Amino acid sequence: MTSELLYFDDLKVGDTFSSGTETVSAEAIQRFAREFDPQPFHLDDEAARTTMFGGLAASGWHTAAITMRLLVSGGPRLANGIVGAGGEIEWKVPTRPGDVLHVESEVIELTPSRSRPDRGLAVLRSKTITQRGDVVQVLTARLMVARRAA
Protein backbone atom coordinates (compact mmCIF):
# COMPACT_ATOMS: atom_id res chain seq x y z
CA MET A 1 0.00 0.00 0.00
CA THR A 2 1.22 3.48 -0.80
CA SER A 3 1.44 6.08 1.95
CA GLU A 4 0.55 8.85 -0.50
CA LEU A 5 -3.03 9.98 -0.93
CA LEU A 6 -4.66 8.61 -4.06
CA TYR A 7 -6.90 10.67 -6.29
CA PHE A 8 -9.26 9.37 -8.94
CA ASP A 9 -6.66 10.26 -11.59
CA ASP A 10 -4.06 8.05 -9.86
CA LEU A 11 -6.19 4.91 -9.99
CA LYS A 12 -6.16 2.33 -12.78
CA VAL A 13 -8.46 -0.62 -13.36
CA GLY A 14 -6.60 -3.62 -11.97
CA ASP A 15 -4.89 -1.75 -9.12
CA THR A 16 -4.85 -3.89 -5.98
CA PHE A 17 -4.56 -3.13 -2.29
CA SER A 18 -4.09 -5.37 0.76
CA SER A 19 -4.93 -4.43 4.34
CA GLY A 20 -3.46 -5.44 7.65
CA THR A 21 -5.14 -8.10 9.75
CA GLU A 22 -7.61 -8.35 12.59
CA THR A 23 -8.23 -11.36 14.82
CA VAL A 24 -11.88 -11.93 15.70
CA SER A 25 -12.60 -13.14 19.23
CA ALA A 26 -15.72 -14.86 20.58
CA GLU A 27 -16.09 -11.94 22.99
CA ALA A 28 -16.05 -9.40 20.13
CA ILE A 29 -18.63 -11.46 18.19
CA GLN A 30 -20.93 -11.57 21.21
CA ARG A 31 -20.41 -7.90 22.11
CA PHE A 32 -21.32 -6.77 18.58
CA ALA A 33 -24.31 -9.12 18.50
CA ARG A 34 -25.67 -7.91 21.85
CA GLU A 35 -25.78 -4.38 20.51
CA PHE A 36 -26.65 -4.81 16.83
CA ASP A 37 -27.73 -8.37 15.90
CA PRO A 38 -28.94 -10.30 18.98
CA GLN A 39 -29.61 -13.69 17.44
CA PRO A 40 -28.70 -16.95 19.24
CA PHE A 41 -26.07 -18.05 16.70
CA HIS A 42 -24.16 -14.81 17.34
CA LEU A 43 -24.60 -14.79 21.11
CA ASP A 44 -24.20 -18.32 22.45
CA ASP A 45 -21.96 -21.08 21.13
CA GLU A 46 -24.10 -23.84 22.63
CA ALA A 47 -27.31 -22.45 21.11
CA ALA A 48 -25.49 -21.86 17.81
CA ARG A 49 -24.55 -25.55 17.57
CA THR A 50 -28.20 -26.41 16.91
CA THR A 51 -28.48 -23.93 14.00
CA MET A 52 -27.36 -24.10 10.38
CA PHE A 53 -24.11 -22.43 11.52
CA GLY A 54 -23.14 -25.34 13.78
CA GLY A 55 -21.35 -22.99 16.18
CA LEU A 56 -20.79 -19.37 17.09
CA ALA A 57 -20.68 -17.15 13.99
CA ALA A 58 -20.12 -13.43 13.65
CA SER A 59 -22.94 -11.32 12.29
CA GLY A 60 -22.39 -10.45 8.65
CA TRP A 61 -22.69 -6.83 9.73
CA HIS A 62 -19.84 -7.38 12.18
CA THR A 63 -17.72 -8.77 9.34
CA ALA A 64 -18.71 -5.72 7.25
CA ALA A 65 -17.69 -3.37 10.08
CA ILE A 66 -14.32 -5.11 10.45
CA THR A 67 -13.86 -4.88 6.68
CA MET A 68 -14.52 -1.14 6.82
CA ARG A 69 -11.99 -0.64 9.61
CA LEU A 70 -9.37 -2.65 7.70
CA LEU A 71 -10.04 -0.61 4.55
CA VAL A 72 -9.79 2.69 6.39
CA SER A 73 -6.67 1.73 8.35
CA GLY A 74 -4.79 -0.13 5.64
CA GLY A 75 -6.58 -0.17 2.30
CA PRO A 76 -6.33 2.41 -0.46
CA ARG A 77 -5.60 5.89 0.96
CA LEU A 78 -8.18 7.79 -1.05
CA ALA A 79 -7.72 11.55 -0.88
CA ASN A 80 -11.23 12.27 0.40
CA GLY A 81 -11.59 9.07 2.45
CA ILE A 82 -13.66 6.02 1.66
CA VAL A 83 -16.97 7.61 0.69
CA GLY A 84 -19.58 5.11 -0.41
CA ALA A 85 -22.17 5.70 -3.11
CA GLY A 86 -23.77 2.25 -2.96
CA GLY A 87 -22.72 -1.31 -3.46
CA GLU A 88 -23.39 -4.98 -3.00
CA ILE A 89 -22.31 -7.29 -0.21
CA GLU A 90 -22.13 -11.08 -0.17
CA TRP A 91 -21.40 -13.25 2.85
CA LYS A 92 -19.85 -16.48 1.62
CA VAL A 93 -19.04 -18.40 4.83
CA PRO A 94 -19.34 -17.41 8.50
CA THR A 95 -16.61 -15.54 10.32
CA ARG A 96 -15.68 -17.61 13.38
CA PRO A 97 -13.91 -16.96 16.68
CA GLY A 98 -10.16 -17.04 16.10
CA ASP A 99 -10.37 -16.06 12.44
CA VAL A 100 -7.68 -13.63 11.34
CA LEU A 101 -9.17 -11.42 8.63
CA HIS A 102 -7.55 -9.26 5.99
CA VAL A 103 -8.97 -7.49 2.94
CA GLU A 104 -7.76 -7.65 -0.65
CA SER A 105 -9.25 -5.00 -2.94
CA GLU A 106 -9.15 -4.45 -6.68
CA VAL A 107 -10.26 -1.47 -8.75
CA ILE A 108 -12.68 -2.94 -11.30
CA GLU A 109 -14.22 0.18 -12.84
CA LEU A 110 -13.50 3.92 -13.08
CA THR A 111 -16.00 6.51 -14.33
CA PRO A 112 -15.29 10.25 -14.27
CA SER A 113 -18.31 12.28 -13.21
CA ARG A 114 -19.91 14.17 -16.10
CA SER A 115 -21.66 16.67 -13.84
CA ARG A 116 -18.99 17.08 -11.14
CA PRO A 117 -15.49 17.49 -12.60
CA ASP A 118 -13.97 17.40 -9.11
CA ARG A 119 -14.72 13.68 -8.63
CA GLY A 120 -15.19 10.29 -10.18
CA LEU A 121 -16.74 6.96 -9.32
CA ALA A 122 -14.42 4.04 -8.55
CA VAL A 123 -15.79 0.53 -8.14
CA LEU A 124 -13.71 -1.62 -5.80
CA ARG A 125 -14.23 -5.33 -5.20
CA SER A 126 -12.97 -6.15 -1.72
CA LYS A 127 -12.64 -9.71 -0.49
CA THR A 128 -12.41 -10.32 3.24
CA ILE A 129 -10.31 -13.43 3.72
CA THR A 130 -9.39 -15.65 6.69
CA GLN A 131 -5.99 -17.03 7.60
CA ARG A 132 -7.08 -20.28 5.88
CA GLY A 133 -7.80 -18.47 2.61
CA ASP A 134 -11.59 -18.69 3.00
CA VAL A 135 -13.44 -15.71 1.53
CA VAL A 136 -16.01 -14.71 4.17
CA GLN A 137 -17.30 -11.60 2.43
CA VAL A 138 -17.20 -9.90 -0.97
CA LEU A 139 -18.01 -6.20 -1.03
CA THR A 140 -18.42 -4.48 -4.39
CA ALA A 141 -18.50 -0.80 -3.49
CA ARG A 142 -19.06 2.28 -5.59
CA LEU A 143 -16.88 5.02 -4.11
CA MET A 144 -16.78 8.74 -4.79
CA VAL A 145 -13.14 9.72 -5.25
CA ALA A 146 -11.81 13.27 -5.49
CA ARG A 147 -9.94 14.33 -8.61
CA ARG A 148 -6.78 16.39 -8.54
CA ALA A 149 -7.34 20.13 -8.86
CA ALA A 150 -6.88 21.31 -12.43
Side-chain angles (χ1 to χ4, degrees):
M1 183 190 87
T2 180
S3 61
E4 294 180 34
L5 293 179
L6 296 170
Y7 290 83
F8 179 83
D9 313 277
D10 301 324
L11 298 171
K12 297 181 300 308
V13 170
D15 283 350
T16 60
F17 306 91
S18 290
S19 75
T21 62
E22 178 158 338
T23 301
V24 183
S25 69
E27 295 77 19
I29 289 171
Q30 293 163 327
R31 185 173 48 251
F32 184 95
R34 278 192 299 274
E35 188 167 356
F36 299 108
D37 193 354
Q39 299 186 74
F41 38 84
H42 302 319
L43 292 167
D44 181 273
D45 187 51
E46 192 62 36
R49 290 183 193 285
T50 65
T51 71
M52 62 188 262
F53 294 105
L56 192 65
S59 167
W61 299 113
H62 187 187
T63 301
I66 291 168
T67 298
M68 186 64 184
R69 181 172 45 228
L70 289 170
L71 286 170
V72 169
S73 65
R77 291 201 54 221
L78 301 178
N80 58 303
I82 297 178
V83 180
E88 178 180 307
I89 192 165
E90 302 171 66
W91 293 295
K92 301 295 197 176
V93 298
T95 298
R96 304 284 188 176
D99 278 349
V100 180
L101 303 180
H102 77 280
V103 179
E104 295 179 5
S105 301
E106 179 180 5
V107 177
I108 61 171
E109 187 178 325
L110 293 166
T111 307
S113 174
R114 286 181 273 192
S115 60
R116 302 271 190 133
D118 63 333
R119 65 190 74 168
L121 185 73
V123 179
L124 265 68
R125 179 175 298 122
S126 297
K127 295 179 181 178
T128 306
I129 304 168
T130 70
Q131 74 280 8
R132 294 177 306 281
D134 298 330
V135 175
V136 295
Q137 177 184 284
V138 178
L139 169 66
T140 304
R142 293 184 307 277
L143 305 175
M144 297 303 299
V145 183
R147 297 193 81 171
R148 290 190 182 279

